[in-house]
Amino acid sequence: MKVNQILSMVTNQFSYQMRLRRFGKQLKLAVDHTKAMKRSDVLLFMCLRNELFRLPYFVDYYRKLGVNHFLIIDNDSTDGLQDWARQQPDVSVWHTRAGYKASNFGMEWCNFLLRKYGTGHLCVTVDPDEFFVYPCMESRNLKELGEYMRMEKREAFHAVMLDAYSDKPLNETVYASGDNPWDVAPFFDRDGYVQVATKAMPTFTRGGPRMRVHNRRDPAKSPALNKIPVVWWRWHFRYVSSMHDIKPMRLMRVQDRFNPTPTGALFHFKFFATLKDKAAEEMNRKEHFSGGAEYERYVRENREVLFEDGVSVRYESPEQLIRLGLMSRGNWL
């Protein structure tokens, strides 16, 4: 590597470090249980606003998978999140009133905490409506997955996001706090996904009901479904565009020329009856991507039943996703 390239890399890293500190100053530690964290812990990071109704089942699900501590960024929730978190010895909360959009949709806040607390840990970074599924999860926890990744010299674990939905109209798909979301929205699209390579992303995936229904007239506008939710974090790593894009670029490459690549899935439970209220709020706040244009499509969309015969299947198990080709076991037997 040339001297000029090295100097440029050092300068860029220093500049980004200064930027990250600025976003870190926007976070106030409101519920502090960080002293309970250990060096071997699996950590989960997320940014949210008024999502408390999802958290009882969410934290129970990830605790069973082996998450030891939850680090939550609260973007000025009004639903009692902090009171709930004070009763959870494995949950810490940072509060901010700063702009979600200005923080790269929460990712710079997450990057700050990942650098400060996540370095050296196996880190899971997800949204509160996302549930990670991976091969062998019935018998092997996240710590064991992390050890397998280390043995294979894999720093990042990739997943395809699968939008989950019911066979009822949206306003009848009612989720109550503590429910298993698969009981309410058990279906997903079995096929119809498109995977391409771009300069920014070696793997860019689209599909599911948000392409089939909400963007059927212009599929190119449907959102990316490729994510990197599990990473052995190092201090210079950073997410760029949600968990779709991570730097350095080597972490974006899914395929391995020499070994079959294990991959997982992220079940995405957006399509509950609460979506319309959430969409109205976010369209008003203008803090989401493209001013909440994606949410506007959900409100404007007349066809509310996403289920379609021949396309929709009920989720059964990780083995089912492997059979359908939506995730891979790799060499993990």
Side-chain angles (χ1 to χ4, degrees), residues 26 77 92 125 152 155 161 180-181 184 230 233 235 314 330:
Q26 296 175 350
S77 295
S92 295
T125 307
E152 291 272 297
E155 296 171 293
M161 188 159 62
N180 179 339
V184 181
V230 179
W233 204 262
W235 71 272
R314 183 183 295 270

Side-chain angles (χ1 to χ4, degrees), residues 19-76:
R19 170 183 166 85
L20 209 56
R21 285 181 180 176
R22 176 163 58 88
F23 285 104
K25 289 179 180 179
Q26 296 175 350
L27 302 177
K28 178 183 178 181
L29 185 54
V31 179
D32 185 5
H33 293 143
T34 57
K35 290 181 180 177
M37 291 192 301
K38 301 174 183 176
R39 293 184 64 181
S40 61
D41 280 355
V42 177
L43 307 180
L44 186 148
F45 297 78
M46 65 177 169
C47 180
L48 55 74
R49 174 184 166 83
N50 290 335
E51 301 280 9
L52 178 59
F53 75 102
R54 297 182 182 273
L55 296 189
Y57 189 88
F58 178 93
V59 297
D60 185 57
Y61 178 87
Y62 280 102
R63 281 168 179 156
K64 289 176 180 175
L65 289 187
V67 169
N68 303 108
H69 206 93
F70 298 81
L71 295 87
I72 299 176
I73 298 159
D74 170 22
N75 191 197
D76 207 23

Side-chain angles (χ1 to χ4, degrees), residues 246-257:
I246 190 171
K247 296 294 181 283
M249 179 60 80
R250 71 172 187 273
L251 301 176
M252 291 289 293
R253 298 188 180 94
V254 182
Q255 301 303 323
D256 186 323
R257 294 195 309 174

Side-chain angles (χ1 to χ4, degrees), residues 242-306:
S242 182
M243 285 66 75
H244 305 295
D245 186 355
I246 190 171
K247 296 294 181 283
M249 179 60 80
R250 71 172 187 273
L251 301 176
M252 291 289 293
R253 298 188 180 94
V254 182
Q255 301 303 323
D256 186 323
R257 294 195 309 174
F258 304 103
N259 292 314
T261 303
T263 59
L266 269 182
F267 272 89
H268 184 212
F269 292 96
K270 178 186 288 288
F271 295 106
F272 293 148
T274 52
L275 177 60
K276 286 196 171 181
D277 288 338
K278 183 72 171 178
E281 178 188 10
E282 295 307 332
M283 287 165 60
N284 181 60
R285 292 177 71 229
K286 303 293 185 184
E287 285 289 322
H288 274 263
F289 185 73
S290 296
E294 184 181 351
Y295 280 105
E296 186 177 1
R297 279 194 290 276
Y298 303 145
V299 172
R300 191 175 64 236
E301 178 59 56
N302 292 322
R303 178 184 171 183
E304 292 188 333
V305 178
L306 300 178

Side-chain angles (χ1 to χ4, degrees), residues 165-168 172-176 179-186 272:
Y165 49 87
S166 77
D167 56 355
K168 303 174 184 177
E172 295 179 22
T173 307
V174 178
Y175 178 84
D179 285 350
N180 179 339
W182 276 283
D183 290 341
V184 181
F272 293 148

Side-chain angles (χ1 to χ4, degrees), residues 160-165 188-194 205-216 219 222-223 225 271 306 308 311-312 326:
V160 61
M161 188 159 62
L162 301 176
D163 287 306
Y165 49 87
F188 66 97
D189 282 17
R190 62 175 297 151
D191 51 28
Y193 299 91
V194 179
T205 306
R206 290 189 178 99
R210 287 189 286 169
M211 184 171 80
R212 173 172 55 85
V213 177
H214 299 111
N215 291 282
R216 60 188 178 277
S222 57
L225 301 182
F271 295 106
L306 300 178
E308 183 174 320
V311 175
S312 305
L326 294 172

Side-chain angles (χ1 to χ4, degrees), residues 75-222:
N75 191 197
D76 207 23
S77 295
T78 57
D79 57 0
L81 169 68
Q82 293 180 32
D83 291 336
W84 170 84
R86 290 186 183 96
Q87 308 305 314
Q88 315 297 320
D90 55 354
V91 175
S92 295
V93 177
W94 286 258
H95 176 262
T96 181
R97 290 191 173 94
Y100 179 73
K101 184 176 180 180
S103 69
N104 189 20
F105 309 104
M107 292 320 301
E108 301 299 12
W109 296 329
C110 286
N111 283 330
F112 176 81
L113 293 186
L114 281 159
R115 177 177 287 199
K116 182 173 181 178
Y117 294 97
T119 297
H121 289 263
L122 185 70
C123 295
V124 179
T125 307
V126 291
D127 293 333
D129 56 5
E130 295 176 342
F131 289 77
F132 183 49
V133 172
Y134 58 93
C136 307
M137 64 181 291
E138 300 95 336
S139 58
R140 297 174 192 171
N141 61 27
L142 286 168
K143 190 166 289 187
E144 290 170 299
L145 174 63
E147 290 307 313
Y148 170 76
M149 290 167 61
R150 275 185 163 166
M151 183 179 68
E152 291 272 297
K153 295 182 170 55
R154 301 182 190 277
E155 296 171 293
F157 196 92
H158 292 245
V160 61
M161 188 159 62
L162 301 176
D163 287 306
Y165 49 87
S166 77
D167 56 355
K168 303 174 184 177
L170 193 64
N171 62 0
E172 295 179 22
T173 307
V174 178
Y175 178 84
S177 185
D179 285 350
N180 179 339
W182 276 283
D183 290 341
V184 181
F187 299 101
F188 66 97
D189 282 17
R190 62 175 297 151
D191 51 28
Y193 299 91
V194 179
Q195 196 171 83
V196 298
T198 68
K199 288 184 179 180
M201 294 186 187
T203 300
F204 190 104
T205 306
R206 290 189 178 99
R210 287 189 286 169
M211 184 171 80
R212 173 172 55 85
V213 177
H214 299 111
N215 291 282
R216 60 188 178 277
R217 293 185 180 89
D218 192 354
K221 289 185 178 179
S222 57

